[in-house]
Amino acid sequence: MPISNRNILVSGGGVAGSALAVWLARRGFAPTVVDPAPEPRAEVDHAEVSRQGMALLDRMGLGERVRALGSPVDEVRTHVSGRREPTCLPGEPGNLTVRHSDLVRVLREDDGGVEYLLGDGVTALEQDDEGVDVTFAQAPARRFDLVVGADGRDSPVRELAFPGPDQGRLRYLGANTAVFETANLLDADNTTAWHVWPHRGCLVTTLPGGDRASVVLVVRDRFPIDGDTMDQDARLRWVEEAFGEDGWEMPRLLRAARDADVRVLPSTQVRMDVWEQGRVVLVGDAAYCPDHLSGQGPTMALMGALALAGELVFTEGEHGRAFFSYEAALRQSVREAQTVAPYVVDSVAPEAGRYETWIRERAELALARGTLLMGRLGIRPPLDSVGREFAVERYAGMLTD
């Protein structure tokens, strides 16, 4: 039977949108990707791809190209107050750190005839039983069979197509973050280091190539901060007020921040009961953002793209059945991914006073030592629990044909 609903607009050209477009084009659909940015971009350019995510990239035939641009996290250093030397643990095997923009470029290079409308965006949607009329900011209006919102946590498609206030779908996790890139201050490659204080903490991860590092500062707060309303001086003042009296590497990091592009954003998830509305469906952060602190965003984007494309292939484009099965295939993995960021916030920015933080640090140290001992004895706790139940073999035929 011929494919129905072949012409599909994908709003958003990040990991989810680009991967979805690749799968659709390979299987006979005609995807068009629209994105406001002329080049790949991200709020946080440092992306973490888990072992499951790398396995999906391998299935796409893109894994080695991504590995060539990325680097593993071989070591995690826990710096405990009062100790000169950190406790060092091995990183998760198979995980990769890569620049988000590099990951997206690899996906776009294998476009298979995908049409791109870069530097443009969706401003209005009007759907009926046969299709969706789409108005763009720049290009002439067009009609598509289906529309996919892959346009991030603050998805314009979600706001246009789904009834009710969009803010009600955002769940603030009680912390604001500052992110910037600087020279590698760790004197090591393939490493993440972290240190905590009461109500705040710091994560530093070396980037591929070894000469740069990504810094994430986490601060507990009752209210989310809109970093877009702050100029660079205001962002620096916020960071220095929170960390200006702290030790460890913070004096050097604060000096480095003055010469960096500091981005401030709240730790926020997207929670939705359904991801489809008629002929419009959401994928990636637009539907189920796990928050940037979770490190699960790229992997969940790749899983969602495969599941949505796979279900559209199975149903030969019959969107009602495809959207329902896509949600069913992914919900469990989404629930797992969204448990990670609250744990990270609690660990990196403990909601505790000095004494309780001191106790927690010692407990973390004991846990780290126990984990290290288990590894030396050949006993490892379960790794990469997020997505382990994702039925990737359901899509084996699509992956290999």
Side-chain angles (χ1 to χ4, degrees):
M1 292 180 61
I3 296 172
S4 63
N5 297 319
R6 186 170 175 272
N7 296 310
I8 300 176
L9 176 69
V10 181
S11 176
V15 176
S18 297
L20 176 65
V22 169
W23 286 125
L24 291 174
R26 288 181 181 181
R27 303 304 296 189
F29 291 85
T32 298
V33 176
V34 60
D35 194 283
E39 294 289 337
R41 61 178 173 79
E43 286 184 316
V44 182
D45 197 43
H46 149 223
E48 301 169 33
V49 186
S50 74
R51 182 167 51 182
Q52 279 87 349
M54 290 307 303
L56 293 179
L57 287 168
D58 285 334
R59 297 282 193 120
M60 298 180 80
L62 305 177
E64 289 309 308
R65 290 162 65 184
V66 174
R67 286 187 183 89
L69 296 169
S71 62
V73 177
D74 293 331
E75 185 176 75
V76 178
R77 298 178 178 180
T78 304
H79 293 264
V80 177
S81 299
R83 292 178 56 88
R84 294 181 60 86
E85 298 298 327
T87 296
C88 300
L89 288 174
E92 299 285 1
N95 289 12
L96 194 79
T97 297
V98 63
R99 290 186 180 278
H100 182 280
S101 52
D102 286 342
L103 176 57
V104 171
R105 285 191 182 94
V106 170
L107 290 166
R108 289 189 185 179
E109 286 169 2
D110 193 352
D111 59 21
V114 177
E115 178 188 8
Y116 284 94
L117 300 176
L118 301 179
D120 207 345
V122 175
T123 60
L125 299 171
E126 186 171 345
Q127 61 174 305
D128 54 40
D129 292 341
E130 303 298 327
V132 187
D133 293 315
V134 181
T135 304
F136 297 100
Q138 305 293 335
R142 289 168 59 178
R143 186 170 175 84
F144 294 88
D145 297 321
L146 303 173
V147 172
V148 180
D151 41 0
R153 186 195 68 183
D154 300 315
S155 167
V157 166
R158 186 182 66 227
E159 190 167 3
L160 289 169
F162 287 73
D166 196 55
Q167 285 300 314
R169 303 176 182 111
L170 303 179
R171 178 171 297 185
Y172 175 57
L173 300 182
N176 291 299
T177 66
V179 182
F180 63 94
E181 184 179 316
T182 185
N184 182 0
L185 305 178
L186 298 182
D187 193 28
D189 293 337
N190 307 338
T191 300
T192 290
W194 62 295
H195 197 304
V196 305
W197 300 268
H199 304 280
R200 61 199 183 280
C202 175
L203 289 160
V204 183
T205 301
T206 57
L207 293 172
D211 60 334
R212 306 289 291 173
S214 172
V215 181
V216 181
L217 305 176
V218 185
V219 181
R220 289 277 189 171
D221 202 326
R222 290 178 59 193
F223 303 104
I225 290 179
D226 183 358
D228 292 338
T229 65
M230 305 167 68
D231 60 22
Q232 187 71 355
D233 288 340
R235 296 171 190 171
L236 287 171
R237 284 196 301 272
W238 180 77
V239 168
E240 291 176 350
E241 286 172 3
F243 293 91
E245 298 182 2
D246 293 326
W248 186 53
E249 296 287 351
M250 284 312 305
R252 295 173 67 194
L253 291 172
L254 292 178
R255 287 195 297 271
R258 293 168 194 151
D259 298 320
D261 177 19
V262 179
R263 289 157 288 174
V264 174
L265 58 158
S267 183
T268 305
Q269 294 181 338
V270 175
R271 300 287 187 99
M272 300 187 67
D273 294 331
V274 295
W275 303 335
E276 58 84 17
Q277 188 70 27
R279 290 178 169 268
V280 180
V281 66
L282 304 176
V283 67
D285 282 356
Y288 42 81
C289 174
D291 184 54
H292 61 286
L293 288 179
S294 73
Q296 302 298 322
T299 296
M300 294 310 303
L302 292 167
M303 285 185 184
L306 174 59
L308 179 54
E311 299 302 338
L312 284 167
V313 170
F314 286 154
T315 62
E316 297 180 317
E318 202 288 286
H319 66 285
R321 289 189 296 130
F323 293 171
F324 178 86
S325 298
Y326 150 67
E327 288 200 33
L330 209 61
R331 280 287 181 181
Q332 178 60 33
S333 297
V334 167
R335 283 191 288 268
E336 293 168 354
Q338 293 194 327
T339 65
V340 176
Y343 171 79
V344 173
V345 169
D346 192 50
S347 298
V348 178
E351 201 165 22
R354 287 183 180 275
Y355 179 71
E356 187 180 345
T357 299
W358 186 89
I359 294 294
R360 289 168 63 108
E361 282 188 303
R362 269 62 193 173
E364 292 275 3
L365 180 60
L367 179 62
R369 285 174 170 167
T371 303
L372 184 59
L373 177 60
M374 290 171 64
R376 288 173 177 169
L377 294 174
I379 305 169
R380 296 192 64 88
L383 297 175
D384 295 336
S385 61
V386 174
R388 294 183 75 178
E389 301 303 316
F390 177 65
V392 65
E393 295 307 320
R394 173 174 170 78
Y395 309 106
M398 191 182 79
L399 290 163
T400 57
D401 287 355

